[in-house]
Amino acid sequence: MPDIFTYDIVEALRRSGCPLCRVDAIDDRRWVDSFWREGKQDPGTRRRFFAAGGFCRHHAWLLHRLVAAAGAGAAIADVYGFLAESDLSRLDDLRGSLDRGRRRRRTPLRRGSRCPACVAFEAGAERKIYFFVQLLAEASVRPHYGSSDGLCLVHFKPSLEHALDVDEDVARFLLDDWRRRLAHVRGQLAEFDRMRDYRYAAEPKGDEQRSWTEVIRRYVGERFTEGPGHD
Ligand SMILES: [Zn+2]
Ligand SMILES: [Zn+2]
């Protein structure tokens, strides 16, 4: 399975947080990074970028962070310069048709397609689920997964669904593992609650103090999108 995702996933099992949140974030940055370095020269990629009216908010700011870190503002000036130019003529068209008293049925700045980085992200995320389930079929990988921080619910759900389709043994493993992790955080939340009682106020505080952060991470995953080098 010599795929870059597989390598990234194995690597992510050794790091903190949901491994698939981590590889999604790595891949997201990789895509945007290669967009401004060479992708934007590709006519197809360029067309999709303009058809979408540029990137969504998340990807535009990710692009901005990466470009700023490289001191390469000209990359943004290029694509967003073209975009602004074509939007100016659309606005002029609209203004002209208003002056001619014509009603336009279409929303004037409607875009023909979705943010191309989002489209690439979703396709990549799906492939990673596929590779992750394949990895877990290897008995030697399971202890590594077991000792990692495990999947968030966002990644657990599609992984379980895919495993149920292709490998019930992996599905059982995933289910037991995730149930154990959820039961653990549930126990910690109960402990946190108990210790808020003044009668136990003198007891030393422990991991349960982080439980209300842990439960959010378990459900929605990590915030790995803060910028390059963030983890
Ligand atoms: Zn996740
Ligand atoms: Zn996007």
Side-chain angles (χ1 to χ4, degrees):
M1 235 189 301
D3 189 279
I4 194 161
F5 289 160
T6 309
Y7 173 81
D8 285 345
I9 293 168
V10 171
E11 200 53 33
L13 292 177
R14 299 195 192 106
R15 311 275 306 272
S16 65
C18 166
L20 291 183
C21 279
R22 184 177 284 280
V23 287
D24 276 350
I26 291 172
D27 199 33
D28 202 32
R29 280 205 291 273
R30 204 179 270 150
W31 194 94
V32 175
D33 210 38
S34 87
F35 170 83
W36 76 261
R37 289 181 192 277
E38 66 259 358
K40 66 185 174 57
Q41 314 302 343
D42 173 68
T45 309
R46 235 179 144 78
R47 195 171 50 247
R48 284 188 289 277
F49 176 86
F50 294 125
F55 286 150
C56 69
R57 183 186 293 139
H58 162 74
H59 285 115
W61 282 114
L62 177 56
L63 172 72
H64 187 271
R65 276 200 297 272
L66 295 172
V67 158
I76 289 180
D78 166 19
V79 285
Y80 275 91
F82 267 88
L83 181 63
E85 194 61 37
S86 92
D87 281 344
L88 281 169
S89 69
R90 292 172 74 165
L91 293 175
D92 290 346
D93 284 353
L94 178 64
R95 195 65 177 75
S97 68
L98 277 177
D99 286 347
R100 289 190 297 276
R102 278 200 209 132
R103 284 186 145 254
R104 297 182 59 111
R105 276 179 293 141
R106 283 194 347 184
T107 315
L109 287 179
R110 176 180 291 172
R111 309 300 188 178
S113 57
R114 294 176 57 217
C115 165
C118 280
V119 172
F121 179 87
E122 283 163 25
E126 233 180 270
R127 287 184 66 206
K128 281 175 215 115
I129 298 289
Y130 173 81
F131 284 114
F132 176 69
V133 167
Q134 232 181 323
L135 260 178
L136 284 186
E138 295 173 30
S140 62
V141 176
R142 293 189 188 182
H144 294 296
Y145 175 71
S147 60
S148 77
D149 283 342
L151 296 181
C152 67
L153 181 65
V154 175
H155 284 111
F156 169 65
K157 268 168 38 182
S159 301
L160 178 67
E161 270 167 37
H162 181 59
L164 285 167
D165 283 345
V166 298
D167 192 331
E168 282 195 4
D169 188 42
V170 172
R172 259 189 295 276
F173 170 78
L174 270 173
L175 202 55
D176 292 348
D177 171 89
W178 212 78
R179 195 201 176 280
R180 177 178 58 78
R181 294 178 193 272
L182 188 61
H184 177 76
V185 76
R186 176 69 194 100
Q188 298 260 289
L189 286 168
E191 182 64 0
F192 174 76
D193 240 15
R194 186 187 69 83
M195 288 180 72
R196 286 173 53 237
D197 189 307
Y198 72 95
R199 286 170 297 171
Y200 307 109
E203 280 186 26
K205 305 278 187 276
D207 285 351
E208 77 288 336
Q209 298 303 309
R210 292 201 307 269
S211 60
W212 49 273
T213 302
E214 287 305 313
V215 74
I216 297 291
R217 295 175 70 186
R218 185 60 61 205
Y219 273 87
V220 302
E222 314 295 331
R223 285 191 301 169
F224 282 140
T225 52
E226 311 270 323
H230 175 87
D231 62 13

